Every structure is written in structure tokens, then in C-alpha cells.
Amino acid sequence: MSNSTTAYLKKQAYGKTKVRVTKVIRHTKEWHDVVELTCQVLLDGKFETSYTEADNSSIVPTDTVKNTIYVLAKKSNHVQTIERFGYEIGQHFINRYSHVDDVHIKIIQHRWTRVNIDGQLHPHSFFRDVSP
């Protein structure tokens, strides 16, 4: 009887969590909006060799995942709609890396409220609203 066993990788996903994104959207010279997000992007795909053969050539570095989120947020017109922004992130990784099969995305949008001065909403001043 042989003492050797065959090990295999059943499931794995890796990526980057707690990526903070803050974007000021300038609609006009005076009127701005603020969006703050916390993003998590996990990649799943053909990464077995990095676990079984110590070959990391297929790995997308986690800093690349983070920086990609930043670049997409800068270019995107959909950051205020987290479902659409999440779709853009997922499509980027699926289309850019043929060995990525699934992208798991979680985005939390933090609330910013426009400052009210003498009954008027200020066009570009906000405070972080932590009320429920």
C-alpha cells in the first residue's frame, strides 16, 4: 500500500479587499457630488499551478487589482451607481485575463450629505453622514 496521497485544489479565490475609492464628480463649475466606496474584488479561475507547482505566472497581483479599481473609477461615468460600476469592474477582469472565470465583487457606498447653509444646499460642501 502506498503512503502517497493525491491532493487537489477544490476551490479558491483571491484578490483585494477594503479598497477605498473617493471621487468628486463635477457636474458644473459650481455643483459637485461626492462618492465614497469600499470595494472588494475576488478573482476565481485557473490558478491551480500557483498552489500545486509554485508557479505564480497566472496570478494577477493584488496591487494590480487595487490600481485597476482606481483607474476604472476615474474613467467611469457610473461610480454613483454601484451595480453598474461593479459590472464594469467584473467585465474588465473577465475580458482582460482569459484565465479568470469568475469575479466576485462587493461594493459598499458610504453616505455623504450636502451641507445646508441658511436653508440652501451648498453646491460643493459635504459631511460624512453616519446616521442610519
Side-chain angles (χ1 to χ4, degrees):
M1 181 162 155
S2 172
N3 287 339
S4 66
T5 60
T6 302
Y8 67 95
L9 183 64
K10 183 173 180 179
K11 180 130 177 90
Q12 64 79 42
Y14 79 97
K16 195 72 170 178
T17 63
K18 297 182 182 175
V19 178
R20 300 295 296 266
V21 175
T22 303
K23 183 174 183 177
V24 176
I25 301 168
R26 292 170 177 84
H27 299 288
T28 65
K29 187 175 182 178
E30 287 294 318
W31 194 262
H32 303 161
D33 284 321
V34 173
V35 178
E36 182 182 357
L37 309 173
T38 301
C39 302
Q40 171 181 292
V41 176
L42 301 177
L43 307 176
D44 189 3
K46 297 168 190 70
F47 303 109
E48 293 86 8
T49 58
S50 65
Y51 295 96
T52 60
E53 299 173 25
D55 176 8
N56 287 340
S57 62
S58 65
I59 294 295
V60 180
T62 57
D63 273 359
T64 299
V65 174
K66 175 190 67 173
N67 291 331
T68 298
I69 295 167
Y70 291 153
V71 169
L72 292 173
K74 180 178 174 89
K75 293 180 176 182
S76 178
N77 293 324
H78 305 293
V79 174
Q80 288 179 291
T81 309
I82 60 175
E83 296 83 1
R84 290 193 65 185
F85 181 55
Y87 177 80
E88 288 178 351
I89 293 170
Q91 285 301 299
H92 171 83
F93 286 105
I94 292 290
N95 293 332
R96 174 72 175 85
Y97 301 100
S98 61
H99 57 287
V100 172
D101 297 328
D102 296 306
V103 182
H104 306 276
I105 300 167
K106 178 180 176 182
I107 300 176
I108 298 169
Q109 185 168 358
H110 305 281
R111 186 182 353 208
W112 283 82
T113 299
R114 200 171 294 279
V115 173
N116 188 329
I117 300 175
D118 297 327
Q120 297 285 336
L121 296 178
H122 196 273
H124 52 79
S125 294
F126 303 87
F127 66 93
R128 175 78 184 274
D129 188 350
V130 293
S131 63

